[in-house]
Amino acid sequence: MLLSMNTIDYLRTFRLGGYAIFDFIASFLGMFLVAPLLSWLCKKAGIIVPKQNWIILTLPISILVHILFGTMTPLTKQFLDPNGHYIVKIIIITCCIFGALGLKRA
């Protein structure tokens, strides 16, 4: 059975609390790699966004992207659930607050 799985599906089998570890690592690594470009683009638009703020904003941005594309991941479902998962909501809102703290006008 393992031989019929592709590599991504296999890597997503490793989970912590129902979340695929691979997805989190890929998201944070991807944001780390594109943060300089995003900061440069925002600076051109008149907003200074430190590179570390992009890392902090990884989860909120990923939830927003998943909502926009209609892909309901477990984290997105938990964030949108009005009847619970308050720890997830607190973490995402905290990331939004700390991600916005270093923003400045250019």
Side-chain angles (χ1 to χ4, degrees):
M1 179 170 174
L2 187 59
L3 295 175
S4 66
M5 297 176 83
N6 68 29
T7 306
I8 300 295
D9 288 337
Y10 174 70
L11 290 173
R12 285 186 172 152
T13 61
F14 300 100
R15 297 187 172 265
L16 182 64
Y19 302 112
I21 297 169
F22 172 77
D23 291 343
F24 279 106
I25 292 172
S27 296
F28 283 103
L29 181 63
M31 188 61 83
F32 176 77
L33 293 174
V34 299
L37 175 64
L38 293 172
S39 291
W40 179 77
L41 289 171
C42 284
K43 190 172 183 181
K44 291 280 188 188
I47 302 169
I48 297 173
V49 181
K51 293 172 189 75
Q52 66 266 18
N53 286 43
W54 292 111
I55 304 299
I56 296 168
L57 292 169
T58 301
L59 292 178
I61 291 171
S62 69
I63 288 175
L64 181 63
V65 169
H66 283 109
I67 291 169
L68 290 174
F69 285 97
T71 308
M72 291 298 140
T73 64
L75 185 64
T76 305
K77 288 178 189 175
Q78 290 175 356
F79 182 73
L80 294 176
D81 180 13
N83 299 318
H85 305 288
Y86 297 112
I87 299 296
V88 170
K89 290 173 178 61
I90 290 169
I91 290 170
I92 300 303
I93 291 169
T94 303
C95 288
C96 289
I97 292 168
F98 282 107
L101 283 180
L103 303 182
K104 298 176 187 169
R105 285 188 146 187

